[in-house]
Amino acid sequence: MKMFGRTLLTLSLLGAMATGVQANDKVLRVYNWSDYIAPDTVKKFEDETGIQVTYDVFDSNETLEARLLAGKSGYDLVVPSNSFLAKQVKAGVYQTLDKSKLPNWKNLNPVLLKNASASDPDNAHAFPYMWGSIGIGFNPEKVKEVLGANAPTNSWDLLFKPQNAEKLKACGISFLDSPTEMIPAALHYLGYPVNDQDKAHIAEAEALFMKIRPSVSYFHSSKYISDLANGNICVAVGYSGDVLQAKARAQEAGGKVKIDYSIPKEGAGSFYDMVAIPRDAANVENAYLFMNFLMRPDVIADITNNIGYSNANAAATPLVDEAIRSDPGSYPSQEVMATLYAIPDMPIGVQRVMTRGWTKVKLGK
Ligand code: N2P
């Protein structure tokens, strides 16, 4: 009997491990984008709840997706962009949210929830954390020195015209290391739909990058923040809030380096970053507590005030610093918003084609 009981226990433990239904210890494992939280957010949560948080970071959807699809990521909360969320939801990567455990859901902006529901019907698996655009961070003085006063900093011509890139090479250019975000930017510039799946058009977009490749210092999705701020590079294609962080760091360092952010007039990509619980999360109740904490107006406003990204919490808006609310990089005008396109959700096969092409672009051959 005893033996039988132990076997049953072992079996049910194994079953629990397989389904991810486990006891919630006082721990939580979070995987978020780098430079995407206030310095004391995690500590505040730990102090209030007694839950110990392991907080790791990534800087591209591609990296997060590789972890998730390999299975058993070990994380209880992750933050994919909406363009990746849709596919991951279909692949069964996430738990359906029990919104009765999220009383602060009421604070979220209904318009942004509706927009985000295009990737996740009824917002069943995730809530929008922050959103932003993918534009051009630049050092106006250095760019002027190299290209003159009429440098087209308000256009993708600044980088996609090889004669401009060749000159800017002297002060340093970087691009995000993300084929799913950078190839649509080139497709858009070439006049193709951003979700174009025609392999010949994708090859043209890669060829455009190949032409300017010799002028690019590097492809990386987070290093440009400090490099812009230090004056090590003068132009970076990057995420809106990250460029604003570079600008703030440069100001804090004495203001010798100036940084601006531009949403090119042809339009730029936009994203929503979404908080979700992986299916095999071990600490689900704690994940709900952290989600609900992130939906608190004071908590999320404090994060925006530190990272420069616009959050998706309507109740938090009055608590966001006026300087951020009036910054056109964080909160673009309606006219500029109308020029933004959503980063497309590409079928996995097309994503692979883009990744292969991108590897060649990075190698320069
Ligand atoms: C944070 C970048 C988040 C925006 N460094 C890209 N989804």
Side-chain angles (χ1 to χ4, degrees), residues 333-345:
S333 67
Q334 283 309 310
E335 280 147 41
V336 173
M337 291 281 282
T339 68
L340 299 179
Y341 59 81
I343 297 292
D345 165 23

Side-chain angles (χ1 to χ4, degrees), residues 184-325:
L187 285 169
H188 187 64
Y189 182 73
L190 292 168
Y192 296 127
V194 291
N195 61 351
D196 200 333
Q197 297 185 18
D198 185 326
K199 286 191 184 146
H201 297 166
I202 294 173
E204 257 185 75
E206 285 159 15
L208 180 62
F209 275 106
M210 216 50 130
K211 255 194 256 166
I212 58 168
R213 175 67 186 91
S215 308
V216 177
S217 307
Y218 61 79
F219 297 84
H220 197 279
S221 299
S222 50
K223 197 165 115 64
Y224 62 93
I225 304 179
S226 52
D227 280 343
L228 274 177
N230 298 337
N232 291 342
I233 56 172
C234 62
V235 186
V237 174
Y239 302 121
S240 46
D242 287 7
V243 175
L244 298 173
Q245 288 176 42
K247 181 175 173 172
R249 281 195 211 174
Q251 269 160 8
E252 281 155 23
K256 264 207 264 140
V257 174
K258 303 246 174 336
I259 301 298
D260 279 335
Y261 177 69
S262 134
I263 297 178
K265 62 177 193 290
E266 300 88 353
S270 65
F271 55 83
Y272 289 93
D273 290 328
M274 312 290 302
V275 184
I277 307 177
R279 176 151 306 273
D280 57 7
N283 304 290
V284 176
E285 295 309 315
N286 298 346
Y288 275 111
L289 290 176
F290 195 63
M291 273 188 159
N292 199 48
F293 180 75
L294 290 177
M295 292 176 193
R296 237 167 66 184
D298 60 317
V299 171
I300 198 77
D302 185 46
I303 299 176
T304 287
N305 290 339
N306 275 276
I307 66 173
Y309 283 93
S310 333
N311 62 61
N313 191 307
T317 306
L319 306 175
V320 171
D321 290 345
E322 178 52 33
I324 294 180
R325 266 190 288 155

Side-chain angles (χ1 to χ4, degrees), residues 7-280:
T7 310
L8 252 192
L9 181 67
T10 314
L11 279 178
S12 64
L13 268 179
L14 281 175
M17 272 152 73
T19 53
V21 184
Q22 295 179 16
N24 286 281
D25 296 326
K26 284 275 191 188
V27 293
L28 176 70
R29 287 176 56 89
V30 177
Y31 199 32
N32 193 6
W33 293 79
S34 50
D35 305 294
Y36 221 31
I37 201 154
D40 61 347
T41 312
V42 168
K43 165 117 190 11
K44 225 191 269 172
F45 177 76
E46 289 178 331
D47 289 349
E48 285 185 20
T49 61
I51 294 167
Q52 185 90 36
V53 180
T54 302
Y55 186 86
D56 294 337
V57 297
F58 56 87
D59 70 2
S60 79
N61 277 300
E62 286 83 351
T63 303
L64 169 62
E65 183 159 273
R67 287 292 292 262
L68 290 170
L69 297 185
K72 267 270 155 237
S73 69
Y75 291 107
D76 304 309
L77 267 191
V78 295
V79 190
S81 298
N82 58 325
S83 53
F84 276 66
L85 178 79
K87 223 181 311 138
Q88 293 162 353
V89 164
K90 284 187 204 125
V93 169
Y94 300 117
Q95 308 207 1
T96 304
L97 294 179
D98 176 353
K99 292 181 186 154
S100 71
K101 294 183 175 161
L102 299 167
N104 289 336
W105 187 278
K106 63 177 188 301
N107 297 325
L108 300 176
N109 182 327
V111 176
L112 299 188
L113 278 174
K114 184 159 183 293
N115 293 351
S117 72
S119 319
D120 179 26
D122 301 325
N123 308 106
H125 301 85
F127 79 92
Y129 175 63
M130 300 280 162
W131 63 275
S133 59
I134 301 177
I136 303 176
F138 64 101
N139 178 323
E141 285 162 3
K142 286 203 177 175
V143 170
K144 192 170 152 194
E145 250 171 60
V146 173
L147 289 179
N150 293 327
T153 51
N154 65 342
S155 164
W156 289 108
D157 283 345
L158 184 72
L159 292 164
F160 285 141
K161 279 221 160 120
Q163 63 269 36
N164 291 338
E166 273 159 31
K167 291 189 187 133
L168 291 168
K169 179 183 181 179
C171 55
I173 296 174
S174 78
F175 280 88
L176 292 173
D177 184 9
S178 169
T180 50
E181 291 169 338
M182 293 296 90
I183 291 176
L187 285 169
H188 187 64
Y189 182 73
L190 292 168
Y192 296 127
V194 291
N195 61 351
D196 200 333
Q197 297 185 18
D198 185 326
K199 286 191 184 146
H201 297 166
I202 294 173
E204 257 185 75
E206 285 159 15
L208 180 62
F209 275 106
M210 216 50 130
K211 255 194 256 166
I212 58 168
R213 175 67 186 91
S215 308
V216 177
S217 307
Y218 61 79
F219 297 84
H220 197 279
S221 299
S222 50
K223 197 165 115 64
Y224 62 93
I225 304 179
S226 52
D227 280 343
L228 274 177
N230 298 337
N232 291 342
I233 56 172
C234 62
V235 186
V237 174
Y239 302 121
S240 46
D242 287 7
V243 175
L244 298 173
Q245 288 176 42
K247 181 175 173 172
R249 281 195 211 174
Q251 269 160 8
E252 281 155 23
K256 264 207 264 140
V257 174
K258 303 246 174 336
I259 301 298
D260 279 335
Y261 177 69
S262 134
I263 297 178
K265 62 177 193 290
E266 300 88 353
S270 65
F271 55 83
Y272 289 93
D273 290 328
M274 312 290 302
V275 184
I277 307 177
R279 176 151 306 273
D280 57 7

